[in-house]
Amino acid sequence: MSDAPKAQKKSGATRFHRLAKREGGITLDEAIRRADEFVSTVKPKYLDWVAEDVRSLATALAALSGHAPASPKDLDTAFHGARKIRDLGTTMGYPVITIVASSLCDLLERFKGGNVYSQPAIDTHMSSLLLVSSSAYDDLQQTVKDDLLPGLRRVVDRFPPTETPRES
Amino acid sequence: MTKPTKINFSGMSALVADANAAFLTIIAGMLYEFGVSNITRATTGEQALHQFSVQQIDFAFLDCFLPGINGFDICQRVRATPGPNQMVPILILTSHAQRDNVVRARDVGASMVMIKPISGSMLFDRLAWAAENARDFIMCANYNGPDRRYKNESFSGIGRRETDKGKGGEQRGSSMSQAEIDKLSTSFS
């Protein structure tokens, strides 16, 4: 017979479950309304945040420029910068920012996976990011989505995907 | 499984951990609007883990790529530490919905995996689902966490439909949809 301790199972109900089911509270519709109101109060600051993030990303990418092969550490730094931009765009009502940043993340991952670093591919993405994160071109979001994104996709597809660990 | 029509968040304490301060502002702001009384923010794994040791947390959102101790490791440690926070709902946030990440989250005892970017509806929806589904807690030699032998048959919330794919940005390559994640993260393979 094995001496290994047997698995134990107990109820997973916690304070959270008890508190959540009390009288009162908030419905999904009310929650969405309040969340949207909150986002609208923060939205005016968002493009300033993105502008700062894009500047930081540009600095991180500058460290990669002219170095072959690209340093994994620098690629990671750039990747996290792009990811930071990606994570908020859709939430803040700028899905195109998320999609362009996501494309850049994808591209950087392909470089991390062994593809040769390409400055033109990076520049194309950074120019796109500057375009979609500029309030001056707010009215062009749909045009950008329709026309620019397929082009970025084709740029990324020039570098074969690789299975690399995404955590760093 | 069903979801409650309402959730009462008053008196609850939440922990949100992400390296991105702007992201923390947004998620904390939404939770505050839902009525959560006490929201603690952490930008590193060490800060997040410390909070689990000094206060009662009712639910937590942990980014899987937190600097220092990552969200997976924090979850595993919390699940292995007897005390008031051992069984709390822990939702792992990720930008990368690959199967490896989802399986890892499930196997360290995460209650759910949520793809970024988030929305108010996603946030509420996940918490409503967690509130209604207190899965049994399993403790054994190589796993502490919600019962993974849990059939997720009728989840009908945000991310369930095929057309919901892409809410977290483009889903390409080996990334999984939120619906696929829900299915995998609540079933044992």
Side-chain angles (χ1 to χ4, degrees):
Chain A
M1 281 185 44
S2 167
D3 290 335
K6 286 183 179 174
Q8 292 178 52
K9 178 159 88 172
K10 57 183 177 182
S11 166
T14 65
R15 203 177 92 109
F16 167 78
H17 299 95
R18 182 172 56 79
L19 293 179
K21 291 179 182 173
R22 288 170 300 163
E23 286 295 311
I26 185 172
T27 62
L28 172 63
D29 288 345
E30 181 68 3
I32 292 173
R33 188 186 64 75
R34 289 189 192 177
D36 286 348
E37 277 179 12
F38 169 73
V39 168
S40 68
T41 64
V42 184
K43 198 170 176 177
K45 300 175 194 165
Y46 173 66
L47 289 179
D48 291 338
W49 294 350
V50 177
E52 196 175 318
D53 289 343
V54 171
R55 279 195 291 275
S56 299
L57 177 58
T59 304
L61 289 167
L64 286 160
S65 170
H67 293 86
S71 130
K73 190 181 169 205
D74 290 341
L75 278 171
D76 256 355
T77 304
F79 175 78
H80 286 294
R83 187 169 71 90
K84 189 176 175 186
I85 296 167
R86 176 198 183 280
D87 283 351
L88 267 184
T90 299
T91 307
M92 301 307 295
Y94 289 89
V96 179
I97 292 180
T98 286
I99 297 171
V100 173
S102 184
S103 181
L104 180 55
C105 286
D106 198 1
L107 180 66
L108 288 165
E109 280 196 321
R110 291 176 189 216
F111 295 153
K112 282 165 72 176
N115 285 289
V116 176
Y117 185 80
S118 163
Q119 193 62 48
I122 290 290
D123 290 344
T124 305
H125 278 80
M126 286 304 283
S127 299
S128 304
L129 211 42
L130 284 168
L131 174 68
V132 297
S133 62
S134 165
S135 57
Y137 298 106
D138 220 12
D139 57 325
L140 295 182
Q141 293 277 321
Q142 190 58 46
T143 308
V144 165
K145 192 174 181 181
D146 295 341
D147 298 340
L148 184 64
L149 299 181
L152 289 180
R153 186 72 253 148
R154 284 196 290 275
V155 169
V156 173
D157 284 344
R158 289 186 176 196
F159 306 90
T162 48
E163 287 300 324
T164 55
R166 300 210 184 196
E167 189 187 358
S168 55
Chain B
M1 289 179 293
T2 57
K3 287 185 291 179
T5 52
K6 282 186 171 184
I7 306 182
N8 193 332
F9 288 103
S10 71
M12 288 196 194
S13 292
L15 170 66
V16 289
D18 195 289
N20 184 346
F23 181 83
L24 285 181
T25 298
I26 300 302
I27 192 170
M30 287 179 176
L31 292 174
Y32 180 78
E33 292 297 327
F34 292 173
V36 179
S37 307
N38 175 31
I39 303 159
T40 304
R41 305 178 195 193
T43 54
T44 67
E46 285 77 7
Q47 288 173 7
L49 195 57
H50 176 69
Q51 288 304 320
F52 277 109
S53 69
V54 296
Q55 64 167 317
Q56 171 147 18
I57 306 287
D58 290 308
F59 63 91
F61 287 93
L62 304 177
D63 183 69
C64 65
F65 296 126
L66 277 170
I69 310 167
N70 66 46
F72 298 118
D73 290 346
I74 294 170
C75 184
Q76 193 164 35
R77 290 191 200 188
V78 170
R79 294 303 191 215
T81 306
N85 292 325
Q86 186 177 24
M87 300 194 301
V88 298
I90 295 179
L91 293 91
I92 294 280
L93 296 162
T94 179
S95 304
H96 305 298
Q98 294 142 308
R99 186 181 172 87
D100 285 357
N101 281 344
V102 179
V103 169
R104 187 173 174 193
R106 183 197 65 189
D107 291 347
V108 297
S111 308
M112 266 189 177
V113 178
M114 206 164 124
I115 312 171
K116 293 195 279 187
I118 61 160
S119 65
S121 58
M122 276 172 72
L123 207 56
F124 185 90
D125 200 74
R126 302 289 125 178
L127 289 169
W129 191 87
E132 194 59 26
N133 299 283
R135 284 184 275 162
D136 286 340
F137 193 84
I138 304 296
M139 290 180 289
C140 62
N142 57 4
Y143 177 74
N144 294 291
D147 193 344
R148 294 175 291 183
R149 292 182 178 86
Y150 186 86
K151 200 157 174 117
N152 185 353
E153 287 180 317
S154 60
F155 178 71
S156 57
I158 308 298
R160 182 76 178 100
R161 297 182 304 273
E162 189 68 17
T163 50
D164 283 347
K165 287 182 180 180
K167 278 185 182 296
E170 279 198 324
Q171 298 296 327
R172 288 194 304 264
S174 58
S175 289
M176 302 171 74
S177 70
Q178 185 70 60
E180 290 167 331
I181 289 170
D182 291 334
K183 192 173 176 186
L184 182 61
S185 62
T186 55
S187 64
F188 186 72
S189 58

